[in-house]
Amino acid sequence: MILAASNKSKKLLYIKYIDTVNAGDISGNRAELASLMAELSAGFRLLADFSALEKMDTDCAPEIGEVMEQLEQAGVSTVVRVIPDPRKDIGMNILSLFHYKSPPRTTTCSSIAEAVKELSF
């Protein structure tokens, strides 16, 4: 399952990955993400929360890459990822190399508290 929300005043897009995520979950969420990104101006920040993720199928990699390209086109400036268990990282940094022409500033944190500090709310 994927939950997404935006906060226009904080220029923030929040995506939370929960339980088991497959490629269909991601592709089915792209229209909602596009709608949320349209509410934000260029220079927005992304908080990608993987803390409740149990498993992400390997066939998600191309879909995640397409989301990265969508984020870049919308003007993301900063990506903060919360990945408490490094074994559950499906290679986000490697995917970033292939899908961001101008990579945003990216940080990986082990907790939401650390991510909030990184985003300077």
Side-chain angles (χ1 to χ4, degrees):
M1 173 189 283
I2 300 170
L3 297 176
S6 66
N7 183 315
K8 189 174 181 176
S9 66
K10 293 187 179 189
K11 294 180 73 173
L12 179 71
L13 176 64
Y14 176 72
I15 305 172
K16 184 170 185 88
Y17 299 88
I18 302 167
D19 198 25
T20 299
V21 175
N22 60 47
D25 295 328
I26 297 170
S27 64
N29 190 260
R30 285 214 319 265
E32 179 185 5
L33 288 177
S35 176
L36 292 170
M37 285 185 255
E39 298 173 359
L40 301 169
S41 57
F44 71 92
R45 300 167 298 164
L46 169 66
L47 175 54
D49 183 359
F50 295 84
S51 62
L53 180 70
E54 288 302 317
K55 179 184 175 200
M56 183 174 281
D57 294 342
T58 55
D59 63 348
C60 289
E63 294 293 333
I64 292 278
E66 289 190 34
V67 170
M68 288 177 173
E69 292 170 12
Q70 191 177 7
L71 288 161
E72 182 175 48
Q73 290 173 355
V76 68
S77 66
T78 303
V79 174
V80 177
R81 298 183 189 117
V82 178
I83 305 176
D85 183 352
R87 294 172 296 169
K88 293 183 181 173
D89 184 340
I90 65 160
M92 300 304 282
N93 289 333
I94 293 169
L95 286 168
S96 295
L97 292 172
F98 292 100
H99 295 283
Y100 289 123
K101 292 176 186 159
S102 299
R105 185 177 73 81
T106 303
T107 305
T108 300
C109 302
S110 59
S111 69
I112 284 287
E114 185 183 345
V116 169
K117 288 178 187 174
E118 186 68 32
L119 289 166
S120 304
F121 287 134

